Amino acid sequence: QPMSDYIPPAALPEHVLQRPDVQEALAQRDFGKLFYLTRKWAGISYSKIAASCGIKPERVGRLARGDGAVTTYDKILQICDGMRIPGHFLGLLPRPWEKQPDQVGDPAP
């Protein structure tokens, strides 16, 4: 199935993405805080976050407690895609799954 139709288990609901504390964590690329807030506000478990982002569940838990950081570009992209965080929240280009209806040449739906 096309990537655009797949919704990963840890996809952030819009109301969580719009929260100032979540946006602040994203702006700082503080993924541990993001994971913590995701569980708090969206009720998404660390094991679902781990599965969606290709991270071991124990590591997600450690990051959420403020132990360690995610710094590699590849892993940031995996989290971005696994949690369906639009690229601009992390200073990235739009991700392939983001809906971009205004692209030139796209046939109308």
Side-chain angles (χ1 to χ4, degrees):
Q1 57 185 358
M3 192 174 176
S4 56
D5 295 344
Y6 168 71
I7 304 296
L12 283 178
E14 189 64 26
H15 73 92
V16 174
L17 257 181
Q18 297 308 327
R19 293 187 56 84
D21 51 358
V22 170
Q23 292 192 9
E24 184 185 351
L26 288 169
Q28 296 170 353
R29 293 191 176 191
D30 184 343
F31 294 103
K33 187 171 188 190
L34 174 69
F35 297 158
Y36 170 79
L37 293 170
T38 296
R39 187 168 80 168
K40 181 175 180 180
W41 300 122
I44 297 172
S45 69
Y46 292 159
S47 58
K48 277 187 181 165
I49 293 171
S52 290
C53 301
I55 304 173
K56 290 189 173 72
E58 315 82 74
R59 176 145 163 78
V60 172
R62 281 204 308 272
L63 287 163
R65 290 191 297 274
D67 178 9
V70 174
T71 54
T72 63
Y73 187 65
D74 287 350
K75 191 53 72 180
I76 289 169
L77 290 184
Q78 260 188 306
I79 294 169
C80 199
D81 293 342
M83 299 182 74
R84 286 295 186 263
I85 299 161
H88 69 87
F89 283 105
L90 291 161
L92 303 168
L93 290 171
R95 303 301 297 147
W97 47 265
E98 288 187 53
K99 294 205 174 9
Q100 295 153 340
D102 49 7
Q103 278 179 332
V104 181
D106 268 10

